[in-house]
Amino acid sequence: MENQIEHNQNPDEEISLIDLFAVLVRYRKLIVIGTILITFLAGLYLFIVPLAFPTLSNVKETITYTVVVNELPTSLDSEFFKGNAKQGLIMGLAMEELQNLSSFSALYKENPIFSTKDTLPETASSYNLMIQNLFGSALKILASEVGNTIKITVEIPSVNVEKSDDFIKKYISNANNAIGNFIVPRLKTIQASTETALKAMEGQNSIMNSSQNLQVKLLDVTSSLAEGNAFLRIQGEPFILPVAQGRMMKLIIVAFAAFFVTVFLAFALNAIRNIKADPQASKILSEAWKAGK
């Protein structure tokens, strides 16, 4: 008997797929128009607003520059290093200079590419704190483990992309000058002492091997001096992460979210409609509302 009662009750309690589909059909205009409207507004915000109001745009792009480090010839290692201390002289100097907050701070005042605002913090402490926060977030500098290259990655507002190249070129130029101020005087000293030693060895065949080594060193020093402050150079074109694809992906996500929200709203409206049409259900909800006060 109990089984028969349960069997008779189940058909009334089960939700038919046809009923669910009927809700979607009844509120099809709400779902379609709502989804299109929300997606359209999101498209305006993601694609049109950045063009019409650049200063209000939060859209950013990530640009990576590859910097080649030109190390000194190995014949000069002994002039700058003792024992096994060599870990890449120019690489070490480059990383030290590129991470120099004072140098970066002075350059950033001329060209604040990480912000769309025209004004900078008024107090020195606030400005210095902002500079510190930029490192590791908007500006990343990483020396490669294989090969003599440094990756400089900047995350800047899309409206400042055209300014990025000039900023990085000045950044590298300043680093080259700083490295040159340290290296070039020492190279000139090595050049002078090597020339003096070679003159003293002229005509002494017994020390020919030493003379040849000095000649190689002199050639390398002269070659390094001739290159000037070209210890660092940007290789190829910068890699720009295509933000447009990111915005399109966001738009697709918004479209799906809008669809599911409008479907949920349709079922909510349908439930309200059914409750209003059922006095018993309205009475139960009314009593529940009063009991919850």
Side-chain angles (χ1 to χ4, degrees), residues 198 201-215:
L198 281 172
M201 292 180 181
E202 288 180 358
Q204 301 182 36
N205 295 329
S206 59
I207 53 175
M208 184 62 69
N209 290 335
S210 298
S211 176
Q212 290 178 348
N213 292 337
L214 288 174
Q215 288 175 355

Side-chain angles (χ1 to χ4, degrees), residues 31-46:
I31 296 173
V32 173
I33 296 176
T35 301
I36 293 176
L37 180 60
I38 294 174
T39 303
F40 175 74
L41 293 176
L44 287 179
Y45 176 77
L46 292 172

Side-chain angles (χ1 to χ4, degrees), residues 4-50:
Q4 184 177 358
I5 294 175
E6 292 179 0
H7 177 74
N8 292 334
Q9 289 177 343
N10 284 338
D12 296 333
E13 295 176 355
E14 290 178 354
I15 299 177
S16 172
L17 291 178
I18 296 178
D19 294 335
L20 296 178
F21 186 71
V23 174
L24 299 179
V25 172
R26 180 180 297 119
Y27 293 95
R28 62 187 182 277
K29 292 182 179 180
L30 169 66
I31 296 173
V32 173
I33 296 176
T35 301
I36 293 176
L37 180 60
I38 294 174
T39 303
F40 175 74
L41 293 176
L44 287 179
Y45 176 77
L46 292 172
F47 293 93
I48 306 302
V49 171

Side-chain angles (χ1 to χ4, degrees), residues 258-274:
F259 172 76
F260 286 112
V261 168
T262 52
V263 168
F264 174 80
L265 182 60
F267 279 103
L269 292 175
N270 187 71
I272 294 173
R273 177 174 175 272
N274 291 338

Side-chain angles (χ1 to χ4, degrees), residues 108-130:
Y108 187 70
K109 284 183 179 180
E110 300 175 2
N111 191 0
I113 64 171
F114 297 99
S115 174
T116 57
K117 298 180 180 179
D118 296 330
T119 58
L120 295 172
E122 295 181 357
T123 64
S125 58
S126 298
Y127 178 75
N128 292 336
L129 180 60
M130 180 195 70

